[in-house]
Amino acid sequence: MLLAEKVVVVAGVGPGLGQEIAVRAARQGADLVLAARTEPVLAEVAGKVVAAGRRAVVVPVDLAVETSALVDAVMGEFGRVDVLVHNAFSMPPMRGLLKTDLPEISRSFDVNVVAALRTVRLLAPALMESRGSVVIVNSAVLRHSRKPFGPYKIGKAALLAVAQNLASELGPSGVRVNSVAPGWIWADTLRTWFEYLASQRGVPAQTIYDETAATTDLRRLPEPGDVADAILFLASDLARGITGQCLDVNCGEFHH
């Protein structure tokens, strides 16, 4: 198993990718600490981790505001951290940079960049003790400059810089820091969006999927499991010589 007897913290657990990361980590032998704002979702995911035969600790917390409760919970329950997966994210305004209010950009930056840095900093002593690893979920928005995505891209570009600099700072202590950059993730949110686009055009939702998938080399869109498996690889000892890198998971939509 890739993560046998490891303690994995997933910061930002939702019903899509966050859940997939947690459940697959449990199947690979890890115990989980699950952090997010929504308690019912945390409880549901924890139940799936337990069903996979591993322990799960639930920490209801707003990672954009406070993360000390997360540190207290993981150290109190397990006494160590081997892996941190930072998946917490809040959608920034989807407007061009010339049209977006600057305070909105600042708020998005605080939630999506500063909060990630805060979480890593607070768990850094435990990660250094275990010579562990960090994986930060980024986005394929890094690879394009489409007009509505300006605030999104500058936040994710900053998040990539955070990960790369942390790799340099934590590397001498044996801690690896990497990122994944998913493209479209074929899950409930995207399905709802494609259904809306289809209704606007009067076509089946499958048409929107096919048109979008046609822009990728594999002619399909990544699913949560595709992204989660890439994260678990980077978190595991199979990637022991990899740090400071960003792995694209986009079925070949972009080449980098």
Side-chain angles (χ1 to χ4, degrees), residues 206-228:
Q206 185 64 40
T207 299
I208 307 299
Y209 180 96
D210 292 342
E211 290 174 354
T212 308
T215 66
T216 73
D217 294 338
L218 297 181
R219 300 300 190 267
R220 70 176 183 87
L221 303 183
E223 298 182 0
D226 299 325
V227 182

Side-chain angles (χ1 to χ4, degrees), residues 30 33 58 76 94 183 199 222 224 228 250:
V33 178
V58 166
M94 292 294 289
S199 68
N250 58 32

Side-chain angles (χ1 to χ4, degrees), residues 5-100:
E5 305 305 322
K6 301 288 189 182
V7 175
V8 176
V9 177
V10 182
V13 176
L17 178 58
Q19 173 177 266
E20 199 72 23
I21 294 165
V23 173
R24 286 177 182 248
R27 291 172 182 165
Q28 291 296 330
D31 293 320
L32 275 298
V33 178
L34 308 171
R37 290 178 297 179
T38 309
E39 293 192 48
V41 172
L42 288 172
E44 180 180 354
V45 177
K48 293 181 179 181
V49 168
V50 172
R54 304 306 304 182
R55 295 164 65 190
V57 174
V58 166
V59 186
V61 63
D62 185 348
L63 294 166
V65 177
E66 180 58 60
T67 49
S68 60
L70 174 58
V71 179
D72 293 343
V74 65
M75 297 308 292
E77 184 71 22
F78 297 109
R80 74 177 202 277
V81 178
D82 298 297
V83 176
L84 167 63
V85 180
H86 195 279
N87 182 54
F89 171 71
S90 178
M91 196 67 189
M94 292 294 289
R95 295 187 296 279
L97 291 175
L98 295 177
K99 296 181 179 179
T100 305

Side-chain angles (χ1 to χ4, degrees), residues 192-203:
T192 300
W193 173 239
F194 279 14
E195 287 168 1
Y196 169 76
L197 294 177
S199 68
Q200 295 297 106
R201 289 175 50 188
V203 298

